[in-house]
Amino acid sequence: MRYDPSRPAGRLLLTPEDKEAPERTRRLCQLRLGAHPDPALDDYADRLAEVTRAPYAMVNFIDLNRQFFAGLHLPDVAPPVVRPDGSTPVLGRELPRDHGFCPHVVVRRKALVLEDVCDYPRFAGNPVVDEFGIRSYLGAPLIDSTGTTLGTLCVVDVEPRPWGRPGLETIKSSAAELVARIERREADGLPLL
Protein backbone atom coordinates (compact mmCIF):
# COMPACT_ATOMS: atom_id res chain seq x y z
CA MET A 1 0.00 0.00 0.00
CA ARG A 2 1.09 3.54 -0.50
CA TYR A 3 -0.05 6.84 0.94
CA ASP A 4 -0.90 9.62 -1.48
CA PRO A 5 0.10 12.92 0.18
CA SER A 6 -1.68 14.98 -2.50
CA ARG A 7 -5.07 13.95 -1.07
CA PRO A 8 -6.70 16.35 1.41
CA ALA A 9 -6.25 15.53 5.11
CA GLY A 10 -8.64 12.88 6.30
CA ARG A 11 -8.98 11.42 2.79
CA LEU A 12 -6.22 8.85 2.58
CA LEU A 13 -5.98 6.89 -0.60
CA LEU A 14 -4.33 3.54 -0.28
CA THR A 15 -3.50 1.83 -3.52
CA PRO A 16 -2.24 -1.73 -3.29
CA GLU A 17 1.27 -2.45 -4.47
CA ASP A 18 1.01 -4.40 -7.71
CA LYS A 19 4.10 -6.54 -8.19
CA GLU A 20 2.52 -8.39 -11.14
CA ALA A 21 1.97 -5.24 -13.22
CA PRO A 22 5.02 -5.74 -15.51
CA GLU A 23 4.05 -9.35 -16.32
CA ARG A 24 0.39 -8.36 -16.79
CA THR A 25 1.40 -5.57 -19.16
CA ARG A 26 3.45 -8.04 -21.24
CA ARG A 27 0.56 -10.51 -21.34
CA LEU A 28 -1.95 -7.81 -22.32
CA CYS A 29 0.37 -6.78 -25.19
CA GLN A 30 0.65 -10.41 -26.28
CA LEU A 31 -3.16 -10.70 -26.31
CA ARG A 32 -3.52 -7.25 -27.89
CA LEU A 33 -5.83 -6.15 -25.06
CA GLY A 34 -6.14 -2.94 -23.12
CA ALA A 35 -5.10 -0.42 -25.73
CA HIS A 36 -8.31 0.07 -27.74
CA PRO A 37 -12.06 -0.09 -27.22
CA ASP A 38 -13.52 -3.35 -28.46
CA PRO A 39 -17.14 -3.45 -29.71
CA ALA A 40 -17.48 -7.09 -28.65
CA LEU A 41 -16.36 -6.18 -25.13
CA ASP A 42 -18.77 -3.23 -25.15
CA ASP A 43 -21.52 -5.72 -25.99
CA TYR A 44 -20.33 -7.96 -23.14
CA ALA A 45 -20.49 -4.99 -20.74
CA ASP A 46 -23.97 -4.11 -22.04
CA ARG A 47 -25.22 -7.64 -21.33
CA LEU A 48 -23.67 -7.63 -17.86
CA ALA A 49 -25.31 -4.28 -17.05
CA GLU A 50 -28.65 -5.67 -18.20
CA VAL A 51 -28.33 -8.87 -16.14
CA THR A 52 -27.28 -7.00 -12.98
CA ARG A 53 -29.45 -3.93 -13.63
CA ALA A 54 -26.40 -1.76 -12.97
CA PRO A 55 -25.96 1.63 -14.67
CA TYR A 56 -22.23 1.02 -15.31
CA ALA A 57 -20.39 -2.12 -16.41
CA MET A 58 -16.76 -2.44 -17.45
CA VAL A 59 -14.24 -4.87 -18.87
CA ASN A 60 -11.15 -3.31 -17.37
CA PHE A 61 -7.52 -4.08 -18.25
CA ILE A 62 -4.87 -2.66 -15.91
CA ASP A 63 -1.27 -2.03 -16.94
CA LEU A 64 1.63 -0.33 -15.17
CA ASN A 65 0.04 3.11 -14.92
CA ARG A 66 -3.59 3.06 -15.92
CA GLN A 67 -6.86 1.25 -16.22
CA PHE A 68 -8.44 0.92 -19.65
CA PHE A 69 -12.10 0.05 -20.17
CA ALA A 70 -11.95 -1.97 -23.39
CA GLY A 71 -15.59 -2.82 -22.73
CA LEU A 72 -17.82 -0.10 -21.29
CA HIS A 73 -21.51 0.34 -20.60
CA LEU A 74 -22.67 3.78 -19.49
CA PRO A 75 -26.17 4.83 -18.42
CA ASP A 76 -28.32 6.62 -20.99
CA VAL A 77 -28.61 9.54 -18.58
CA ALA A 78 -25.60 10.32 -16.42
CA PRO A 79 -26.24 10.72 -12.70
CA PRO A 80 -26.47 14.36 -11.58
CA VAL A 81 -22.99 14.74 -10.08
CA VAL A 82 -21.92 18.37 -10.17
CA ARG A 83 -18.44 19.60 -9.36
CA PRO A 84 -17.90 22.75 -7.30
CA ASP A 85 -17.17 24.63 -10.54
CA GLY A 86 -20.58 23.58 -11.95
CA SER A 87 -19.24 21.08 -14.48
CA THR A 88 -20.29 17.44 -14.60
CA PRO A 89 -17.78 14.58 -14.90
CA VAL A 90 -17.85 12.15 -17.79
CA LEU A 91 -16.48 8.64 -17.39
CA GLY A 92 -14.19 7.86 -20.29
CA ARG A 93 -12.25 4.76 -21.28
CA GLU A 94 -9.27 5.43 -19.05
CA LEU A 95 -8.60 6.06 -15.35
CA PRO A 96 -5.39 6.40 -13.38
CA ARG A 97 -4.36 3.21 -11.61
CA ASP A 98 -5.13 4.65 -8.19
CA HIS A 99 -8.78 5.43 -9.01
CA GLY A 100 -11.58 2.99 -8.39
CA PHE A 101 -11.66 -0.43 -6.83
CA CYS A 102 -10.43 -2.68 -9.65
CA PRO A 103 -6.74 -2.38 -8.67
CA HIS A 104 -7.68 -3.94 -5.32
CA VAL A 105 -9.40 -6.86 -7.09
CA VAL A 106 -6.38 -7.42 -9.34
CA VAL A 107 -3.92 -7.53 -6.44
CA ARG A 108 -6.22 -9.65 -4.21
CA ARG A 109 -7.03 -11.98 -7.13
CA LYS A 110 -10.50 -12.37 -5.60
CA ALA A 111 -13.90 -10.84 -6.18
CA LEU A 112 -14.82 -7.73 -4.22
CA VAL A 113 -18.33 -6.78 -3.11
CA LEU A 114 -18.92 -3.28 -1.74
CA GLU A 115 -22.63 -2.78 -1.16
CA ASP A 116 -21.99 0.76 0.11
CA VAL A 117 -18.44 2.03 -0.34
CA CYS A 118 -19.06 4.66 2.36
CA ASP A 119 -19.18 1.84 4.93
CA TYR A 120 -15.47 1.20 4.29
CA PRO A 121 -13.09 4.07 5.17
CA ARG A 122 -10.40 2.50 2.96
CA PHE A 123 -12.67 2.81 -0.08
CA ALA A 124 -14.85 5.82 0.79
CA GLY A 125 -11.95 8.19 0.07
CA ASN A 126 -11.43 6.89 -3.45
CA PRO A 127 -11.62 9.59 -6.15
CA VAL A 128 -14.45 7.83 -8.02
CA VAL A 129 -16.72 8.30 -5.01
CA ASP A 130 -16.49 12.10 -5.19
CA GLU A 131 -15.84 12.44 -8.92
CA PHE A 132 -18.58 10.16 -10.26
CA GLY A 133 -20.78 9.53 -7.23
CA ILE A 134 -20.04 5.79 -7.14
CA ARG A 135 -21.61 4.17 -4.08
CA SER A 136 -21.47 0.43 -4.76
CA TYR A 137 -19.12 -1.94 -6.58
CA LEU A 138 -19.08 -5.57 -7.63
CA GLY A 139 -16.02 -6.90 -9.44
CA ALA A 140 -14.16 -10.11 -10.22
CA PRO A 141 -10.64 -10.72 -11.55
CA LEU A 142 -9.99 -11.94 -15.09
CA ILE A 143 -7.38 -14.64 -14.45
CA ASP A 144 -6.18 -16.54 -17.51
CA SER A 145 -4.68 -20.03 -17.74
CA THR A 146 -1.14 -18.62 -17.36
CA GLY A 147 -2.16 -17.39 -13.90
CA THR A 148 -2.03 -13.76 -14.99
CA THR A 149 -4.71 -11.44 -13.69
CA LEU A 150 -5.46 -9.42 -16.82
CA GLY A 151 -7.90 -7.03 -15.21
CA THR A 152 -11.46 -7.11 -13.96
CA LEU A 153 -15.06 -7.42 -14.93
CA CYS A 154 -17.16 -5.10 -12.79
CA VAL A 155 -20.41 -3.23 -12.30
CA VAL A 156 -20.98 -0.10 -10.24
CA ASP A 157 -23.95 1.94 -9.12
CA VAL A 158 -24.48 5.45 -7.77
CA GLU A 159 -26.76 4.02 -5.08
CA PRO A 160 -25.94 1.45 -2.39
CA ARG A 161 -26.80 -2.02 -3.70
CA PRO A 162 -27.37 -5.30 -1.88
CA TRP A 163 -25.53 -7.41 -4.48
CA GLY A 164 -25.74 -10.51 -2.27
CA ARG A 165 -24.66 -14.02 -3.21
CA PRO A 166 -26.52 -13.94 -6.57
CA GLY A 167 -24.57 -10.85 -7.62
CA LEU A 168 -21.30 -12.38 -6.51
CA GLU A 169 -21.99 -15.62 -8.41
CA THR A 170 -23.03 -13.66 -11.52
CA ILE A 171 -19.87 -11.56 -11.62
CA LYS A 172 -17.58 -14.53 -10.95
CA SER A 173 -19.19 -16.76 -13.59
CA SER A 174 -19.26 -13.89 -16.11
CA ALA A 175 -15.55 -13.24 -15.53
CA ALA A 176 -14.71 -16.94 -16.02
CA GLU A 177 -16.80 -17.03 -19.22
CA LEU A 178 -15.06 -13.94 -20.60
CA VAL A 179 -11.59 -15.37 -19.89
CA ALA A 180 -12.58 -18.60 -21.67
CA ARG A 181 -13.71 -16.58 -24.71
CA ILE A 182 -10.46 -14.60 -24.76
CA GLU A 183 -8.41 -17.79 -24.58
CA ARG A 184 -10.43 -19.52 -27.32
CA ARG A 185 -9.74 -16.59 -29.61
CA GLU A 186 -6.05 -16.66 -28.72
CA ALA A 187 -5.86 -20.41 -29.44
CA ASP A 188 -7.55 -19.88 -32.80
CA GLY A 189 -5.14 -17.03 -33.62
CA LEU A 190 -8.03 -14.61 -34.08
CA PRO A 191 -8.43 -11.02 -32.93
CA LEU A 192 -10.07 -10.70 -29.53
CA LEU A 193 -13.81 -11.29 -29.75
Side-chain angles (χ1 to χ4, degrees):
M1 300 290 191
R2 68 177 171 76
Y3 167 70
D4 184 349
S6 67
R7 301 290 293 170
R11 300 292 294 226
L12 299 180
L13 175 62
L14 297 175
T15 303
E17 184 179 355
D18 186 356
K19 294 178 180 176
E20 295 179 2
E23 177 55 34
R24 177 182 320 101
T25 301
R26 282 189 291 280
R27 181 72 174 133
L28 289 171
C29 287
Q30 180 183 28
L31 293 168
R32 289 173 273 152
L33 294 173
H36 305 287
D38 186 294
L41 293 177
D42 283 341
D43 290 344
Y44 202 87
D46 290 343
R47 287 190 302 277
L48 183 63
E50 184 178 331
V51 167
T52 60
R53 296 186 319 270
Y56 297 92
M58 298 94 155
V59 178
N60 185 10
F61 299 113
I62 301 175
D63 64 21
L64 289 167
N65 301 305
R66 70 180 181 134
Q67 303 176 66
F68 186 79
F69 304 125
L72 179 62
H73 172 86
L74 299 173
D76 293 330
V77 177
V81 176
V82 180
R83 295 179 180 134
D85 67 1
S87 65
T88 56
V90 176
L91 179 64
R93 294 276 180 174
E94 196 172 312
L95 279 179
R97 208 182 93 47
D98 62 354
H99 284 49
F101 314 108
C102 292
H104 296 271
V105 172
V106 165
V107 171
R108 305 166 24 118
R109 299 173 60 89
K110 292 175 23 181
L112 177 63
V113 179
L114 299 171
E115 294 184 344
D116 186 343
V117 297
C118 294
D119 289 343
Y120 304 89
R122 175 182 191 182
F123 297 114
N126 198 286
V128 298
V129 175
D130 293 335
E131 182 78 10
F132 300 105
I134 300 304
R135 287 292 302 274
S136 61
Y137 173 90
L138 176 65
L142 299 170
I143 302 173
D144 73 2
S145 60
T146 70
T148 304
T149 305
L150 304 172
T152 64
L153 182 64
C154 69
V155 292
V156 296
D157 202 335
V158 295
E159 300 292 331
R161 288 279 298 265
W163 301 107
R165 179 144 310 275
L168 179 61
E169 293 306 318
T170 296
I171 201 73
K172 287 167 62 176
S173 65
S174 296
E177 175 191 328
L178 181 55
V179 168
R181 293 174 85 177
I182 290 169
E183 290 186 327
R184 274 195 309 272
R185 298 300 285 197
E186 179 188 26
D188 292 341
L190 300 171
L192 181 54
L193 301 168

